[in-house]
Amino acid sequence: MPHYIAPSILSADFARLGEEIKAVDRAGADWIHVDVMDGHFVPNITFGPAVVAAIRPHTDLTIDVHLMISDPDAYIPAFAKAGADYICAHVETSGHLHRTVQLIKESGAKAGVVLNPATSLESLEWIVSDLDYVLLMSVNPGFGGQAFIDASIERIRRVKEKLVAKGSAALIQVDGGINPTTIAAVAQAGCDVFVAGSAIFGTDNYQKTIADLRRRIG
Ligand code: DX5
Ligand code: ZN
């Protein structure tokens, strides 16, 4: 299975967003990860659909929108229309998760669900066969640059087992604290899509950093 590196623009220079996206595209990134925060589900505020529409012409890479918002259904069509290829919503926010996943698909995007670090993996049981990807948070959502939560490794393993048991082709994405020190264990546990914000945008040579991360995936 191929592996994908997804720089999170949360750690990019917002005043130069278009250039930053072109730079990670040229440097060998696979996806662009967009962290959408509403100041309600998480204690921070970031981007809306207009920002996704603004960055869309700057890259042909997959744009992956991670919704950390209390009412994902209200905004999913707008993010899809703005050019998001993949959209995921937190299981903790949606009282009607099946409806949320169908709405993402009807809007024309690939669908994922996200689990916070302490959310039971059982919440995937009845939705997993409808998913294109599962995002496991390895930090508490809201901010870049936090330390990787070690228990995430066992969670990745268990989700991988679940997907194999169900015959699901859904990708496993991991988000938070991924850097040259943590990425190998994340890869070995079964991750397919590696989100990295500060580990990429915090360095001055994106190409070298992405190549280094990729080498450590093995
Ligand atoms: C956190 C976001 C992450 C964040 C990761 O709420 O979902 O995507 O940008 O940042 P790093 O890679 O710095 O931990
Ligand atoms: Zn994210």
Side-chain angles (χ1 to χ4, degrees):
M1 198 115 94
H3 293 107
Y4 304 97
I5 305 270
S8 162
I9 59 169
L10 185 62
S11 291
D13 178 350
F14 295 165
R16 299 171 45 251
L17 202 46
E19 288 164 49
E20 290 273 72
I21 284 165
K22 281 186 187 145
V24 287
D25 183 330
R26 278 196 307 270
D30 301 299
W31 293 17
I32 300 294
H33 184 83
V34 180
D35 287 307
V36 175
M37 305 184 186
D38 65 353
H40 188 248
F41 175 60
V42 289
N44 198 0
I45 301 178
T46 56
F47 321 109
V51 173
V52 173
I55 65 178
R56 182 69 279 185
H58 292 275
T59 182
D60 291 328
L61 296 180
T62 294
I63 292 186
D64 167 39
V65 170
H66 173 191
L67 295 177
M68 287 163 273
I69 62 179
S70 292
D71 187 2
D73 293 18
Y75 299 95
I76 284 165
F79 279 104
K81 192 156 177 253
D85 299 296
Y86 281 67
I87 299 176
C88 56
H90 274 257
V91 303
E92 302 86 2
T93 61
S94 179
H96 305 278
L97 193 60
H98 186 271
R99 179 184 289 154
T100 300
V101 168
Q102 299 315 313
L103 179 60
I104 296 172
K105 291 182 169 178
E106 281 160 19
S107 302
K110 302 273 193 196
V113 298
V114 194
L115 276 63
N116 276 335
T119 297
S120 169
L121 302 180
E122 291 301 310
S123 54
L124 287 172
E125 190 65 21
W126 299 103
I127 196 66
V128 79
S129 52
D130 293 294
L131 299 178
D132 297 298
Y133 68 136
V134 175
L135 170 49
L136 291 173
M137 291 307 300
S138 40
V139 298
N140 291 297
F143 303 94
Q146 303 180 78
F148 185 85
I149 297 171
D150 291 331
S152 309
I153 297 295
E154 182 59 21
R155 288 168 61 78
I156 300 164
R157 273 195 209 111
R158 290 196 196 178
V159 170
K160 180 72 185 176
E161 280 171 17
K162 198 184 281 281
L163 295 179
V164 170
K166 296 255 183 196
S168 163
L171 299 170
I172 298 179
Q173 183 179 44
V174 180
D175 185 2
I178 292 189
N179 58 42
T181 309
T182 56
I183 196 166
V186 172
Q188 277 158 23
C191 177
D192 305 293
V193 187
F194 303 80
V195 177
S198 52
I200 293 174
F201 287 106
T203 62
D204 54 12
N205 186 334
Y206 300 161
Q207 190 162 4
K208 195 164 156 253
T209 305
I210 290 172
D212 181 38
L213 290 171
R214 218 184 274 289
R215 194 166 48 241
R216 289 166 194 268
I217 291 169

